[in-house]
Amino acid sequence: MTLGTVIGFALILIGVWGMLTRSNLIKIIIGFSIIDTGIHLVIVSIGYLPGRTAPIIDGAVDKARAGLEVVDPIPSALVLTAIVIGLAITALMLTYAVGMFREKKSLNIGDYKELKW
Amino acid sequence: MLRRIFAAFAVVLLAMALLPFITEIHPFQELSPVARHYAEKGPDELGGANLVTSVIVTYRGLDTLGEVTVLFIATAGVGFLLRRDERDEEESAAAAGTDESGSAGNSPRPASELLMSGSMLLFPLLMLFGVYIFLHGHLTPGGGFQGGVVIASAMLLVMLSRVSLHLNHTVLGLVESLSGFSYVVIGVVGLVLAGGFLDNRILPLGELGNLLSAGAIPVIYSLVGLKVGTELTNILETMKSEEEL
């Protein structure tokens, strides 16, 4: 385990707590973003190898010894994908919030009972 | 109160489910075989100094195409959901007609001198920086997505300082569709001329570390940068015109 993994999981739990206890739609979306950030941190920390450097071949990394000197590039690439998709999903959720507000003039999740069981 | 107890219970359960990931999984000490191949063979195979870019644009280029598609669909969704019905527009026009005296007070206040001058100073620099980031995606940290976001932030600055400005949706849509289309065309050209879909070796690889190296990676990343920049600008523009309702 590394510190990054622990902080990432802590962020996930904080985000879930925020999503479950807040009733303002905007705050629920913020909770989702915190979960998102936590997951990114966990994925990046999985690819981290102690004592190694960024996966870019330049003066600091010898091309022949790259396999021994750089961290795993795949989690970084996956997180880059995840960040962009997280951004798109957040924008879409905010749009839904705008649409819901337009319909009922309320951002309180308790006012929307149509899908409640 | 009961709700908070249930929420706390759910969080504790989730924490217990996540605990084994911390206590029982030990971090790697070596690169996995795939990553090792990317790190050792990548620079020679693809000519890109930034291994993350090589993975994103070429080794897993299809994922990136999917990602760009997700972003496109999200943008389309934002535009669709914030679309104003004709009925709504008639209503707001009628409301504006009956409320002549109030409409003058509703017109947006012009931005302050500080914001205007600041955005005029920063806009060209931000644009240049965005283009720099996506052109150097194969050499330095960054790439099409990051560069596109910087360009969109430059556009956001302009939108903040000139509230009444409306961007030309046709131009935005044209740039976005053309760059997306060229991205797929380059992928197909890779299928014909080189090893597979989105293979970057359709152009000479050049010397490792030069701006004109890594084959088609700078071209693809520039297209992605343009596409992401215009898409995010589109989202911002749609949300801004929603605010003026």
Side-chain angles (χ1 to χ4, degrees):
Chain A
M1 62 167 253
T2 58
L3 187 62
T5 323
V6 176
I7 295 175
F9 282 133
L11 280 176
I12 294 175
L13 296 177
I14 291 170
V16 171
W17 171 256
M19 279 179 91
L20 290 178
T21 55
R22 304 295 120 171
S23 55
N24 188 318
L25 282 174
I26 304 289
K27 288 184 184 170
I28 293 175
I29 296 173
I30 293 175
F32 173 85
S33 293
I34 296 174
I35 298 179
D36 212 30
T37 314
I39 294 173
H40 298 159
L41 205 54
V42 171
I43 301 178
V44 168
S45 71
I46 288 172
Y48 176 72
L49 301 170
R52 297 197 180 195
T53 184
I56 297 175
I57 311 289
D58 57 3
V61 180
D62 187 21
K63 197 171 87 176
R65 284 173 44 80
L68 300 171
E69 288 184 349
V70 298
V71 300
D72 197 339
I74 301 172
S76 313
L78 289 178
V79 164
L80 202 138
T81 310
I83 289 173
V84 176
I85 292 184
L87 172 83
I89 300 294
T90 310
L92 204 55
M93 282 198 295
L94 285 168
T95 311
Y96 271 109
V98 169
M100 287 164 83
F101 182 78
R102 216 196 265 163
E103 199 66 34
K104 284 199 174 171
K105 302 288 171 214
S106 165
L107 280 176
N108 191 333
I109 192 78
D111 291 340
Y112 297 90
K113 298 190 192 304
E114 284 83 355
L115 284 177
K116 210 168 176 179
W117 44 274
Chain B
M1 192 60 214
L2 197 62
R3 197 176 144 177
R4 280 180 175 260
I5 293 171
F6 275 124
F9 187 59
V11 169
V12 169
L13 279 185
L14 186 63
M16 282 165 66
L18 293 178
L19 200 61
F21 287 103
I22 294 177
T23 53
E24 289 178 20
I25 293 182
H26 300 288
F28 297 115
Q29 296 303 318
E30 282 295 313
L31 290 179
S32 62
V34 181
R36 213 181 156 79
H37 175 91
Y38 291 165
E40 286 174 352
K41 305 274 170 28
D44 289 328
E45 272 182 2
L46 305 180
N50 186 344
L51 297 174
V52 178
T53 302
S54 301
V55 172
I56 289 177
V57 179
T58 304
Y59 287 124
R60 312 227 165 168
L62 201 59
D63 284 5
T64 308
L65 187 62
E67 174 188 3
V68 170
T69 313
V70 169
L71 195 61
F72 168 74
I73 293 173
T75 316
V78 170
F80 174 72
L81 289 169
L82 289 183
R83 176 189 57 143
R84 268 177 283 174
D85 296 339
E86 283 175 25
R87 189 166 44 86
D88 285 359
E89 281 190 1
E90 274 168 23
E91 270 174 23
S92 61
T98 53
D99 198 16
E100 278 296 331
S101 56
S103 64
N106 275 338
S107 68
R109 195 158 51 108
S112 69
E113 186 67 37
L114 201 62
L115 185 58
M116 296 275 260
S117 316
S119 71
M120 270 157 66
L121 178 72
L122 281 176
F123 177 72
L125 293 177
L126 277 173
M127 278 299 207
L128 193 65
F129 187 51
V131 172
Y132 170 85
I133 288 180
F134 67 63
L135 277 182
H136 288 71
H138 56 302
L139 303 175
T140 54
F145 295 99
Q146 296 88 329
V149 170
V150 172
I151 289 179
S153 69
M155 298 309 290
L156 176 65
L157 206 57
V158 172
M159 286 179 205
L160 285 177
S161 62
R162 288 179 178 41
V163 186
S164 54
L165 181 85
H166 282 283
L167 299 173
N168 191 335
H169 279 273
T170 323
V171 174
L172 283 179
L174 206 64
V175 172
E176 188 194 323
S177 333
L178 274 182
S179 47
F181 179 69
S182 322
Y183 183 20
V184 178
V185 166
I186 288 180
V188 174
V189 169
L191 199 61
V192 177
L193 294 182
F197 190 65
L198 285 172
D199 197 326
N200 70 331
R201 286 169 289 187
I202 53 174
L203 294 172
L205 288 185
E207 196 180 328
L208 185 73
N210 284 354
L211 179 59
L212 288 176
S213 66
I217 287 182
V219 183
I220 293 175
Y221 241 5
S222 303
L223 292 171
V224 171
L226 282 177
K227 187 161 168 62
V228 171
T230 45
E231 256 162 14
L232 295 182
T233 310
N234 239 332
I235 291 184
L236 292 170
E237 168 74 13
T238 320
M239 288 186 161
K240 174 175 152 280
S241 28
E242 164 66 18
E243 199 191 343
E244 287 164 3
L245 191 71

